[in-house]
Amino acid sequence: MSESALLREARTLQPRLVDLRRRIHQEPELGLENPATRRKILDALSGLDLEIDLHARTSGIVATLRGARPGRRILLRGDTDALPMPEHTGLAFESRHADRMHACGHDAHVAMLIGAAHLLAARREALAGEVVFMFQPGEEGFGGAAVMLAEGMPDCDGAFALHVAPQIPTGMIGTRPGAIFASFDDFEIEILGRGGHASMPHDCIDPVPIACEIVQALQTFVTRRIPVNDPGVLTVSQIHAGTTQNVIADSVPLAGTMRTLSEHTRDRLLAGLPRIAEGIAAAHDATARVELQPGYPVVLNDAGFEAFAGRVARDLLGEQAVLTLPTPIMGAEDFSYVLDRTPGAMMLLGVRPPGVTDPAPCHSSRMMLDEEAMAVGSAVHTAVATRFLETTG
């Protein structure tokens, strides 16, 4: 079957994909346990000739399709969890939970992977090798990919994933070799001073100006010590201090995040932040308690696999439909753990709704996507897997 016919076939699944995506969207779940989403996935996979492995440490699902002949093995991944945030889209299928929303498109990721499972299962007799479908919870800060890998996953020869991109028009793919998503690490700093009366700061150790000095010094550290051609981002996103106007607080907590595109710069930020915070605090007779919360590594697309997947996408969608991204995205993604173990790639799937010129980005309470893009995503998954299993090098 030609790839244009594959795209047409994928579009016949559209009503099923839309229904599944909307039901998942209405009932978003957080973290590593997404039991209702797991049930929906299993129902959607029922009747297909798949071997199902239900993970115990998470609600993850590994579904394996074995082709008619032996060959290589490719992993396709879709994440399942939502974000702890309100939804302000006004959609008829808006989240039923005031504090949860699928604002990063994971509901669509699941639906697209289900579509690919149906398309590939229908081609089982023509396949040489295996397709592993990884339905993974806990992407949003819980490292669900690492947990699933640690519990046990089949060794694969290649790995592929799509992530929705509201800024890219439907029907287009964004990609690049090498770093495509950044690493992330979070931090908390508490400045411990000595409180007292606001009219007598000389009798106190005021943590507020110390905290302000640390924030400024961290920004200077990034601009003066981190090279612009191997960048890093350090953002202090929270600072809380004091209870009223005439009291100097005993302490000030700060919190934030760091993003990099290489392990070298990541190591420099992780080493530099506590050195700066503790040193400035000590210079003012205060103390800084620093807690680093390790996050995800850089998402690195294997150059060979990315070039291969790009050719497949161009053959399927047209030469002009595949965009080479000029820069990586400074957001993070735990598909990095899969790509650390298996050569592969993550690409961006355009989902910008028609007529929208200023789309809300992922993680916005107003984020929406064009559901017509899901058939494109299912077809891309299927084409990449099929071509990979046809290739012997």
Side-chain angles (χ1 to χ4, degrees):
M1 177 176 289
S2 70
E3 279 151 338
S4 59
L6 169 61
L7 193 53
R8 290 195 297 271
E9 184 180 347
R11 289 190 173 114
T12 67
L13 297 174
Q14 181 71 3
R16 185 182 303 180
L17 304 185
V18 168
D19 175 69
L20 175 61
R21 183 251 167 170
R22 292 184 178 187
R23 286 189 288 112
I24 293 172
H25 190 93
Q26 282 186 311
E27 195 175 1
E29 297 178 293
L30 307 177
L32 296 171
E33 290 298 330
N34 308 158
T37 306
R38 176 190 257 189
R39 288 193 297 272
K40 294 179 179 71
I41 293 169
L42 292 174
D43 288 345
L45 294 175
S46 64
L48 300 181
D49 188 11
L50 302 172
E51 295 179 14
I52 304 292
D53 177 21
L54 301 182
H55 275 215
R57 293 175 59 186
T58 72
S59 59
I61 302 170
V62 180
T64 302
L65 173 66
R66 301 193 187 280
R69 302 178 306 284
R72 297 198 296 177
R73 182 185 289 140
I74 185 169
L75 180 148
L76 303 177
R77 177 271 211 164
D79 38 7
T80 66
D81 58 321
L83 285 155
M85 58 181 289
E87 178 170 353
H88 300 130
T89 60
L91 294 168
F93 52 93
E94 196 171 66
S95 171
R96 293 172 178 168
H97 301 277
D99 57 349
R100 301 181 213 165
M101 179 189 174
H102 270 291
C104 203
H106 297 187
D107 48 352
H109 295 174
V110 170
M112 292 188 295
L113 200 55
I114 292 291
H118 280 264
L119 293 168
L120 285 161
R123 292 160 169 74
R124 194 187 76 81
E125 291 301 320
L127 296 179
E130 301 175 9
V131 183
V132 176
F133 301 95
M134 180 184 186
F135 294 93
Q136 176 226 305
E139 190 281 323
E140 297 291 356
F142 292 84
V147 178
M148 288 189 70
L149 290 169
E151 182 169 341
M153 292 281 298
D155 290 329
C156 295
D157 302 290
F160 182 71
L162 288 169
H163 198 297
V164 299
Q167 290 84 1
I168 299 176
T170 294
M172 303 190 79
I173 297 287
T175 182
R176 72 190 315 273
I180 187 168
F181 281 90
S183 69
F184 95 89
D185 299 284
D186 290 342
F187 61 86
E188 295 180 0
I189 305 170
E190 185 177 20
I191 312 304
L192 304 173
R194 185 173 66 241
H197 202 289
S199 67
M200 293 174 277
H202 54 281
D203 291 331
C204 309
I205 299 176
D206 189 349
V208 171
I210 299 171
C212 294
E213 188 174 335
I214 289 172
V215 172
Q216 290 296 99
L218 289 174
Q219 301 309 310
T220 301
F221 167 61
V222 172
T223 60
R224 299 294 89 189
R225 299 300 303 277
I226 302 301
V228 295
N229 57 354
D230 189 5
V233 173
L234 190 159
T235 296
V236 178
S237 52
Q238 296 181 57
I239 180 167
H240 308 279
T243 56
T244 190
Q245 288 91 336
N246 60 351
V247 173
I248 289 175
D250 286 310
S251 64
V252 174
L254 313 172
T257 190
M258 296 179 286
R259 309 297 170 109
T260 74
L261 298 175
S262 75
E263 287 302 309
H264 175 71
T265 295
R266 187 184 189 193
D267 289 343
R268 293 189 70 173
L269 287 180
L270 289 170
L273 183 141
R275 182 178 68 245
I276 290 167
E278 292 165 2
I280 290 174
H284 295 284
D285 290 330
T287 301
R289 292 179 181 168
V290 179
E291 181 180 347
L292 299 173
Q293 299 158 350
Y296 305 158
V298 179
V299 180
L300 290 170
N301 281 346
D302 177 80
F305 192 102
E306 187 273 341
F308 153 75
R311 289 194 300 271
V312 173
R314 288 182 180 91
D315 290 343
L316 178 69
L317 304 174
E319 190 68 29
Q320 302 305 314
V322 179
L323 310 172
T324 299
L325 301 175
T327 60
I329 295 161
M330 296 310 289
E333 237 287 350
D334 75 347
F335 193 59
S336 54
Y337 292 113
V338 176
L339 296 183
D340 279 352
R341 172 169 146 169
T342 306
M346 170 171 271
M347 292 180 167
L348 302 184
L349 177 73
V351 295
R352 190 170 75 198
V356 175
T357 57
D358 186 22
C362 289
H363 290 222
S364 165
S365 64
R366 292 173 292 279
M367 182 269 192
M368 290 188 283
L369 56 84
D370 181 8
E371 292 176 322
E372 295 296 321
M374 293 191 297
V376 177
S378 292
V380 171
H381 274 303
T382 302
V384 168
T386 302
R387 186 86 66 86
F388 185 82
L389 297 183
E390 291 171 352
T391 308
T392 57

